[in-house]
Amino acid sequence: MSTNIINKETLETFLTLTCGESHSQGNQRYQQIIRKIVSDLCQTIDQFDISDEEFWQAVNYINQLGERKETALLAAGIGLEHFLDLRADKKEQLAGETIGTPRTIEGPLYVANAPLSEGFARMDDGVDKGEVMWLSGVVADLDGNPIPGATVDVWHANTLGNYSFFDASQTEFNLRRRILTDSKGAYHARSIIPSGYGCPPDGPTQQLLDLLGRHGNRPAHIHFFISAPGYKHLTTQINLNGDKYLWDDFAFATRDGLIADPIKITDDAIIAQRQLPGEHTEVTFNFRLQKAHDHEEEAKIKRLRVGEM
Ligand code: MBD
Ligand code: FE
């Protein structure tokens, strides 16, 4: 159904008033952006003949997003966070830059200041009896020269797809570590193979996804912030090959170049060398960083994060 009963000029005159553009006070950028958003909302209401009931349902929905702290989750689910990546990629491409390891979304579940160690960390607290994961790789520049002392800030879910802090049943910083690369630019971690994430089934994000006929699942993945002085901060994730949701991620974060092949290790010599209890799964992933143009590019995007507030 399309109605469009409001005259465009009537709306434009009204928006000049509501968005504070009829006087010289306020912030012009905000006035223009809010005007565009309100204008699009008014036209949507008009075009679809949105009822008052539907309108107040939407207002309540936004309140629920806030109450459940799911606004960032919805931003991932409707693809807005991925859209920011597409724009950042395009800007680099237009600037003629050579790209290193592809970026992909941070998501809403990072916690700052995880325990810091050099070369190696054990990430799991031993409570979750998941498959042992040996995670390692090298951080290098675009020419393949290893970068010693790079920070590998890594976080992932447990075998239920849950993240410590947000899941209060896990110990503090479980499956979250910061590892400095060794003299060869390498990082190593012992952890457990994560499971994919699913949106809270009773939350507002899943409620909207249901209305769109979409699921709210992510493939098994591991998040990384990779940083080193002189290099561009990298926010990325790797996906574990073989997951049923590998190319059907509700948050659109899977990218070519970010897929890792888990390998089953049964060789006793390797098991002993890694001081692991037995057979395990190896995940190897190497990163390539771009040179930074300035110090600002060395840091991650400013955003309100747990532990950084
Ligand atoms: C996650 O684990 C995640 O990485 C994203 C992007 C959204 C929800 C849960
Ligand atoms: Fe995640």
Side-chain angles (χ1 to χ4, degrees):
M1 181 181 8
S2 176
T3 53
N4 286 319
I5 55 177
I6 295 294
N7 173 288
K8 189 104 209 261
E9 271 163 48
T10 310
L11 177 60
E12 291 304 324
T13 308
F14 182 52
L15 288 174
T16 301
L17 272 176
T18 67
C19 298
E21 289 173 300
S22 56
H23 54 66
S24 58
Q25 276 108 61
N27 179 308
Q28 199 184 25
R29 182 169 165 80
Y30 278 77
Q31 286 170 339
Q32 291 173 346
I33 293 168
I34 297 300
R35 183 196 184 103
K36 170 67 176 149
I37 295 170
V38 177
S39 173
D40 288 349
L41 281 174
C42 288
Q43 289 180 58
T44 303
I45 290 168
D46 203 23
Q47 182 179 334
F48 292 93
D49 196 24
I50 304 284
S51 70
D52 289 7
E53 269 162 41
E54 287 173 317
F55 177 80
W56 294 111
Q57 215 177 297
V59 169
N60 189 48
Y61 180 80
I62 293 169
N63 284 340
Q64 282 171 5
L65 278 179
E67 264 175 48
R68 295 286 298 255
K69 290 209 162 62
E70 283 196 12
T71 315
L73 184 63
L74 181 69
I78 56 178
L80 287 173
E81 197 174 1
H82 179 63
F83 182 72
L84 299 181
D85 282 342
L86 293 179
R87 294 194 75 246
D89 288 352
K90 193 74 188 183
K91 283 185 183 183
E92 282 178 347
Q93 190 198 322
L94 291 172
E97 289 180 22
T98 310
I99 270 69
T101 301
R103 63 168 55 77
T104 199
I105 67 171
E106 172 180 334
L109 304 174
Y110 176 72
V111 175
N113 295 310
L116 181 67
S117 58
E118 278 175 38
F120 170 82
R122 177 159 178 188
M123 298 180 67
D124 68 300
D125 62 8
V127 172
D128 190 329
K129 302 296 176 202
E131 166 78 1
V132 173
M133 173 171 74
W134 182 259
L135 173 67
S136 65
V138 170
V139 179
D141 68 15
L142 295 185
D143 299 320
N145 305 303
I147 307 173
T151 303
V152 176
D153 196 340
V154 50
W155 71 104
H156 66 79
N158 66 7
T159 60
L160 297 173
N162 296 328
Y163 286 78
S164 64
F165 181 86
F166 303 94
D167 169 14
S169 79
Q170 294 181 48
T171 55
E172 195 181 30
F173 292 116
N174 190 39
L175 311 179
R176 300 177 184 277
R177 288 295 183 274
R178 286 177 299 158
I179 306 167
L180 297 174
T181 55
D182 65 17
S183 59
K184 292 173 183 149
Y187 70 94
H188 305 270
R190 172 182 170 173
S191 197
I192 52 169
I193 294 281
S195 293
Y197 168 93
C199 289
D202 62 342
T205 301
Q206 189 59 56
Q207 192 188 347
L208 184 74
L209 291 170
D210 287 345
L211 288 165
L212 301 178
R214 292 182 48 202
H215 67 72
N217 299 305
R218 301 209 60 211
H221 62 279
I222 302 166
H223 295 265
F224 293 91
F225 285 154
I226 313 286
S227 59
Y231 295 91
K232 223 176 187 179
H233 169 92
L234 174 67
T235 297
T236 197
Q237 306 176 25
I238 60 173
N239 293 113
L240 301 186
N241 207 354
D243 192 293
K244 116 180 219 224
Y245 292 108
L246 184 65
W247 288 107
D248 190 19
D249 176 12
F250 101 100
F252 310 100
T254 310
R255 314 192 87 173
D256 284 327
L258 293 177
I259 297 164
D261 288 309
I263 297 169
K264 187 79 186 176
I265 301 294
T266 55
D267 183 326
D268 287 333
I270 299 175
I271 292 165
Q273 186 206 329
R274 293 174 178 173
Q275 299 180 341
L276 295 178
E279 293 186 4
H280 59 276
T281 296
E282 173 184 283
V283 176
T284 306
F285 203 85
N286 301 321
F287 298 92
R288 291 275 173 114
L289 297 185
Q290 279 175 268
K291 287 246 152 57
H293 300 101
D294 53 46
H295 286 308
E296 211 166 288
E297 285 186 351
E298 295 175 2
K300 55 183 171 285
I301 298 295
K302 281 200 192 73
R303 166 175 172 180
L304 194 63
R305 294 179 177 92
V306 175
E308 280 184 343
M309 302 175 183

